[in-house]
Amino acid sequence: MAIHKLDLGEFDEIDYHLIAIHTSLEDYRLAYFINQKLPINLGKNKNEIQINIKEGETKFSRFYYHEVEKGISWNLIQNKNEVIQQKNDTRQNNLFSNINMEVSTKVYLLPEFKKADYFLKIENLEDDLNVTHIQALLNTIDNISTAYTIETNKIKSKNNLIF
């Protein structure tokens, strides 16, 4: 009987580049400015990225474009969002005991990069020289404070980028 072995190392390969973006722009405005600077056409994707934590669940907005000729996929992903919980304090018997409170908790797609507002994930891009050029073009957008590439081996929560 033959023994078959699977090499799981093939599944660990990272075939994307990640650029962190710091800006105060709304997601749709940022996508608009990126579309003007780069030869892409990011559009709102109805499949948002859902993250479940102990406080509840939240969805991160996502803009997507796929270049058919080159096979390159572009994702503009929100990094910061909030989970709002309804709390009712019934432990006390006083005037304010039946008041419902809303408690919001900040949630990050990649918690190790809390200062980044958005990520531009580029899949199947051939050479690294293009990434530095893309980063330079993003830095020319007026309302972007900074944009920089992230080394994929420094990402601890890689599973959040699988969608």
Side-chain angles (χ1 to χ4, degrees), residues 3-162:
I3 297 174
H4 297 284
K5 287 186 178 181
L6 294 176
D7 183 17
L8 297 177
E10 295 176 12
F11 299 110
D12 277 348
E13 289 183 27
I14 296 175
D15 62 343
Y16 61 85
H17 297 278
L18 199 64
I19 299 175
I21 301 172
H22 294 252
T23 183
S24 60
L25 289 172
E26 293 290 326
D27 54 1
Y28 62 92
R29 294 199 24 96
L30 179 60
Y32 172 77
F33 288 127
I34 290 174
N35 287 342
Q36 286 185 328
K37 289 288 180 179
L38 299 174
I40 61 175
N41 189 16
L42 290 168
K44 181 84 169 163
N45 192 321
K46 57 185 166 190
N47 297 329
E48 295 181 326
I49 301 164
Q50 181 176 335
I51 300 289
N52 293 317
I53 59 170
K54 63 182 178 183
E55 289 85 8
E57 78 175 41
T58 188
K59 295 182 179 182
F60 295 94
S61 68
R62 174 181 171 208
F63 287 76
Y64 178 76
Y65 175 69
H66 180 72
E67 285 184 57
V68 179
E69 304 87 37
K70 298 179 183 177
I72 301 173
S73 295
W74 301 76
N75 285 285
L76 178 65
I77 314 154
Q78 179 184 19
N79 186 39
K80 299 177 182 179
N81 209 344
E82 290 185 345
V83 173
I84 298 176
Q85 284 182 292
Q86 297 289 333
K87 291 205 175 184
N88 189 359
D89 192 10
T90 57
R91 293 176 286 158
Q92 301 174 354
N93 286 331
N94 60 25
L95 181 62
F96 303 105
S97 63
N98 292 329
I99 294 178
N100 288 333
M101 296 187 315
E102 288 187 351
V103 178
S104 69
T105 305
K106 276 247 191 239
V107 181
Y108 301 93
L109 182 68
L110 297 180
E112 56 270 26
F113 300 102
K114 289 183 178 179
K115 295 191 179 200
D117 297 304
Y118 297 94
F119 294 109
L120 185 62
K121 179 183 174 188
I122 310 166
E123 297 177 84
N124 302 324
L125 189 63
E126 297 300 320
D127 48 355
D128 291 333
L129 296 175
N130 286 339
V131 175
T132 55
H133 179 67
I134 292 166
Q135 175 189 338
L137 286 174
L138 290 175
N139 278 318
T140 62
I141 297 174
D142 288 336
N143 294 322
I144 290 182
S145 304
T146 186
Y148 54 90
T149 56
I150 293 176
E151 293 181 32
T152 51
N153 58 357
K154 292 185 178 180
I155 303 171
K156 295 176 186 169
S157 47
K158 292 177 185 170
N159 291 342
N160 292 349
L161 292 174
I162 299 173

